[in-house]
Amino acid sequence: MSTETSTMTLERTDAAPRRPGYGALWASVPREFAFLILTMPIAVLSIVVLATTFFTGLGLIFVVFGIFIVVASLFIARGFGTLELVRLRWAGRPEVRRPAWDHADRNQGFWRTMFAPFIDGHYWLYLLHGMVINPIVSVITWSITVAWTSVALAGTTGWIWQRYIPDGEGRNFWLHDRVLDFLVPGNTFDIDPQVGESVFEVILGVLFLIMLPFVFRGLTVLHDLIARGVLGAWRSEALEREVRQLSASRGAAVQAEDTSLRRLERDIHDGPQQRLVRLQMDLAAIERKLEGDPDSARTLLLEARDQAREALDELRALSRGFAPPILQDRGLAAGLESLASRSPVPVTREIEVPTDAALPAVIERNAYFIAAELLTNAAKHSGATGIRLRASMRDTGESGHWLDLWVIDNGRGGAAPASGHGLAGLEERVHGLRGMLVIDSPLAGPTTIGAHIPFVPVAASAD
């Protein structure tokens, strides 16, 4: 997977949607006609089934199984409403966001599941749609569809097949007997009624045929608007879902931070802390032997110096998990350059982040940590001889601003997020920032890992 291809999959086009041309309207006519012509049979079936089950259950409401019949009618209404949404999607309309039927806090146990429709307003709206709204609207749209299609087809083809139909007695020529007499009273035009009627029907049929895609589109949009208002999810549900996602993201970020702190605590305890304890013991021994045995004290002093140097080196290595001063003073670009220069494996740098980028501090710190972890993993575990680090920013318009970090190595591949390991922790951290981690690491390599993090520019947030 190339970085360019992966980045393009995350971008959204900013261009405003264009109105479909006349040819596109005609291309949708078969699907819209099938949708409209099937509306009446489905509406008749829904009103028969729903009215029968609902009113039967309502009449037996004081009997135990009457309640179950009412509940069944609500579930049947949900089925008919879902069918309407599927048909609209098949007819080419944008997908309607459906209600969240499964509530983990409410649907627990058999009885709560059975009686959940009574307290869920969506079930009653679906019942209203299937019993009242859709049958009424379907009568109108189905009648217009049949009448408009009949006039368009009969008018444009009548001159072919009408000649084979016996005239019969008393045939009325509507054009000759009504229209011309109304427009030109007492007209003296010598027009054959048969020919005049055929010409009039062709003109009328052509006009109806030209307008047919607009009529079908309008009738389909009418059903779509009703479905969005009655069968779609509510805005409050979208807000509730957003709150749940934010809570989950915050929980993931807190968990990732807690895991990092615990690992750092363990590393300090197992490494520098033990060396500092040893250093303290060596200094005490040096103090005791300084006057009586200076040679042994000198030897212990050399060992203590080595212990201090090794402890300092380990502390420096552990401190890479924190934001260094260069990140605070010179920004993310300089911090990434510093990381790449310290890598034991040669790193090709493509840092396209401006030095004065309007990145929030929390995004800079996390991006620095993610890049450090990815470079460390590539150097330790991949067996790579070369690493490519790429960082860039993009403004996708509707979906906001994004920071993209890519680390690509030519190692052995096979990297995957395993529970309790580095990539899993990075994935949690990125998800906590409401971003996404892309991992493409086939066996034999190469390994491509991309972290895509959304952010709000500092200048925009200050406003």
Side-chain angles (χ1 to χ4, degrees), residues 62-140:
F62 297 105
V63 185
V64 176
F65 60 84
I67 299 177
F68 291 96
I69 297 177
V70 173
V71 172
S73 69
L74 294 175
F75 278 105
I76 295 173
R78 171 180 165 181
F80 277 109
T82 303
L83 176 62
E84 180 75 3
L85 296 180
V86 171
R87 292 176 61 243
L88 283 169
R89 188 74 182 93
W90 181 81
R93 302 305 305 160
E95 186 171 1
V96 179
R97 186 163 49 86
R98 304 181 188 181
W101 299 107
D102 299 324
H103 301 283
D105 57 338
R106 285 189 283 174
N107 294 352
Q108 297 176 356
F110 173 77
W111 293 107
R112 287 197 177 188
T113 302
M114 283 298 301
F115 292 102
F118 281 106
I119 59 175
D120 193 335
H122 286 295
Y123 281 94
W124 297 101
L125 285 176
Y126 273 55
L127 182 66
L128 179 66
H129 180 270
M131 285 181 55
V132 180
I133 299 177
N134 199 40
I136 294 176
V137 176
S138 298
V139 170
I140 300 173

Side-chain angles (χ1 to χ4, degrees), residues 20 37 59 81 92 127 140 142 146 159 179 248 286 337 354 358 376 393 447 450:
I37 207 67
L127 182 66
I140 300 173
W142 188 85
V146 172
W159 60 277
V179 178
I286 291 171
E337 291 281 355
T376 301
M393 299 167 56
T447 296

Side-chain angles (χ1 to χ4, degrees), residues 26-43:
W26 266 107
S28 302
V29 163
R31 290 187 300 176
E32 293 174 349
F33 176 76
F35 170 81
L36 294 170
I37 207 67
L38 291 175
T39 298
M40 175 65 76
I42 294 176

Side-chain angles (χ1 to χ4, degrees), residues 176 180-181 184-191:
H176 185 271
L180 290 181
D181 286 343
V184 186
N187 70 86
T188 58
F189 297 106
D190 188 12
I191 299 177

Side-chain angles (χ1 to χ4, degrees), residues 71-344:
V71 172
S73 69
L74 294 175
F75 278 105
I76 295 173
R78 171 180 165 181
F80 277 109
T82 303
L83 176 62
E84 180 75 3
L85 296 180
V86 171
R87 292 176 61 243
L88 283 169
R89 188 74 182 93
W90 181 81
R93 302 305 305 160
E95 186 171 1
V96 179
R97 186 163 49 86
R98 304 181 188 181
W101 299 107
D102 299 324
H103 301 283
D105 57 338
R106 285 189 283 174
N107 294 352
Q108 297 176 356
F110 173 77
W111 293 107
R112 287 197 177 188
T113 302
M114 283 298 301
F115 292 102
F118 281 106
I119 59 175
D120 193 335
H122 286 295
Y123 281 94
W124 297 101
L125 285 176
Y126 273 55
L127 182 66
L128 179 66
H129 180 270
M131 285 181 55
V132 180
I133 299 177
N134 199 40
I136 294 176
V137 176
S138 298
V139 170
I140 300 173
T141 58
W142 188 85
S143 301
I144 294 176
T145 300
V146 172
W148 204 279
T149 306
S150 301
V151 173
L153 295 180
T156 53
T157 62
W159 60 277
I160 300 175
W161 49 265
Q162 281 184 356
R163 68 183 66 181
Y164 302 106
I165 299 177
D167 290 343
E169 296 182 0
R171 177 182 177 184
N172 295 321
F173 294 99
W174 190 79
L175 171 66
H176 185 271
D177 297 337
R178 298 290 185 269
V179 178
L180 290 181
D181 286 343
F182 175 77
L183 295 177
V184 186
N187 70 86
T188 58
F189 297 106
D190 188 12
I191 299 177
D192 185 2
Q194 185 81 26
V195 175
E197 196 77 11
S198 298
V199 172
F200 173 75
E201 290 175 354
V202 168
I203 295 175
L204 190 63
V206 169
L207 292 177
F208 271 63
L209 194 63
I210 292 174
M211 295 297 298
L212 186 137
F214 296 102
V215 174
F216 282 7
R217 177 58 56 87
L219 297 178
T220 306
V221 168
L222 175 61
H223 281 276
D224 181 71
L225 293 176
I226 294 174
R228 290 182 184 277
V230 180
L231 305 179
W234 299 329
R235 292 185 179 180
S236 58
E237 292 178 326
L239 181 60
E240 182 181 352
R241 187 181 300 107
E242 182 73 13
V243 170
R244 287 199 302 267
Q245 291 176 352
L246 288 175
S247 300
S249 298
R250 183 177 61 181
V254 171
Q255 184 177 1
E257 197 69 28
D258 181 69
T259 302
S260 300
L261 290 176
R262 288 180 182 275
R263 183 177 60 183
L264 180 63
E265 180 183 2
R266 183 181 65 252
D267 292 342
I268 291 177
H269 179 273
D270 295 340
Q273 182 175 339
Q274 300 299 323
R275 296 188 183 278
L276 291 175
V277 171
R278 171 72 182 278
L279 178 61
Q280 184 181 12
M281 296 173 62
D282 289 345
L283 290 176
I286 291 171
E287 186 179 2
R288 289 192 302 268
K289 295 183 178 182
L290 188 59
E291 295 181 358
D293 191 358
D295 292 335
S296 297
R298 187 178 297 107
T299 302
L300 291 175
L301 186 62
L302 293 176
E303 294 180 0
R305 185 178 62 182
D306 292 338
Q307 292 287 342
R309 186 181 66 253
E310 292 176 0
L312 182 60
D313 291 339
E314 290 188 1
L315 286 174
R316 284 175 176 172
L318 292 174
S319 68
R320 293 178 182 178
F322 296 97
I326 190 175
L327 187 63
Q328 301 176 1
D329 298 337
R330 298 173 56 188
L332 179 61
L336 295 178
E337 291 281 355
S338 176
L339 280 177
S341 64
R342 296 200 305 265
S343 174

